[in-house]
Amino acid sequence: MVTLETSRLVLRRWREDDVAPMAAIHADPEVMRWIRDGSVRDEQQTRSGIQAWESEWDAQGFGLFAVEIRSTGELAGFTGLSVPAYLPEVLPAVEVGWRLGRSHWGQGLATEAAAAAVRFGFEEQRLERIVSVAQVGNDASERIMTKLGMRPLRETVSPSGGRRVRVFALSSHEYVATTR
């Protein structure tokens, strides 16, 4: 079981008691505004999503981490690595993503969590490239991608939501060059 720690966060596998707080995050229209078609998700959809994320861990050796605030134990959301099957034109690829509850926005937590996931991807999983995808207009996510050292790769339309997205990428060589 992989667990990562940063100065403020614990990135860990999912537990049953994460379903309700993650469902509350998924029920917030402002959080979900930039996710696929913008629809909120209920508790059962969240439970199914967490089960799928855990299956990815078992199948691939990486996946989405539950992000916990170290000082309080509160679930803030998720970050981690996944295969962006919803965007076939970038495959083969591994994507870093994140989703935090609104009360955790604007504190640098998403960048801190995603940086730990990127480090795990390159240093532990030996990935050659990591991408990240954001809907056009989601400037906050694009700022995080830039802070991670990613560069714009392409703009396209996501088949799963029909919205325009920007794909950013970071190669293992670029990652090594920035961490020396």
Side-chain angles (χ1 to χ4, degrees):
M1 294 269 281
V2 177
T3 300
L4 307 178
E5 294 192 15
T6 70
S7 61
R8 299 182 290 170
L9 305 171
V10 176
L11 282 59
R12 58 167 174 76
R13 298 282 295 269
W14 294 87
R15 303 185 301 236
E16 176 61 30
D17 63 351
D18 294 326
V19 174
M22 194 67 216
I25 292 167
H26 281 158
D28 183 339
E30 193 60 27
V31 170
M32 300 304 289
R33 175 180 176 199
W34 300 109
I35 309 302
R36 299 191 187 233
D37 68 356
S39 298
V40 297
R41 297 183 188 152
D42 63 23
E43 188 165 320
Q44 185 51 48
Q45 291 168 313
T46 299
R47 180 180 306 281
S48 295
I50 289 172
Q51 289 168 348
W53 301 337
E54 279 296 297
S55 293
E56 287 180 0
W57 273 103
D58 296 337
Q60 300 168 154
F62 59 80
L64 298 178
F65 292 97
V67 174
E68 181 181 296
I69 304 296
R70 282 178 69 140
S71 62
T72 64
E74 176 187 3
L75 182 77
F78 72 69
T79 193
L81 304 171
S82 63
V83 174
Y86 66 91
L87 196 59
E89 70 186 77
V90 302
L91 296 176
V94 174
E95 175 185 14
V96 63
W98 51 85
R99 185 174 309 147
L100 299 183
R102 213 180 332 170
S103 64
H104 300 289
W105 291 1
Q107 302 167 44
L109 296 174
T111 302
E112 184 176 327
V118 166
R119 187 169 41 258
F120 172 74
F122 286 129
E123 296 179 9
E124 304 297 323
Q125 297 295 306
R126 304 284 186 231
L127 299 173
E128 289 296 315
R129 181 179 78 150
I130 297 175
V131 301
S132 195
V133 181
Q135 289 186 13
V136 172
N138 186 348
D139 298 335
S141 282
E142 287 192 19
R143 280 191 299 275
I144 293 168
M145 293 173 194
T146 301
K147 289 177 187 176
L148 294 173
M150 299 183 132
R151 300 174 198 263
L153 182 65
R154 70 174 67 180
E155 190 170 309
T156 188
V157 174
S158 172
S160 65
R163 294 181 175 183
R164 293 203 65 73
V165 295
R166 287 197 183 106
V167 180
F168 283 60
L170 179 65
S171 73
S172 60
H173 300 294
E174 292 167 326
Y175 172 78
V176 168
T178 62
T179 57
R180 287 185 180 167

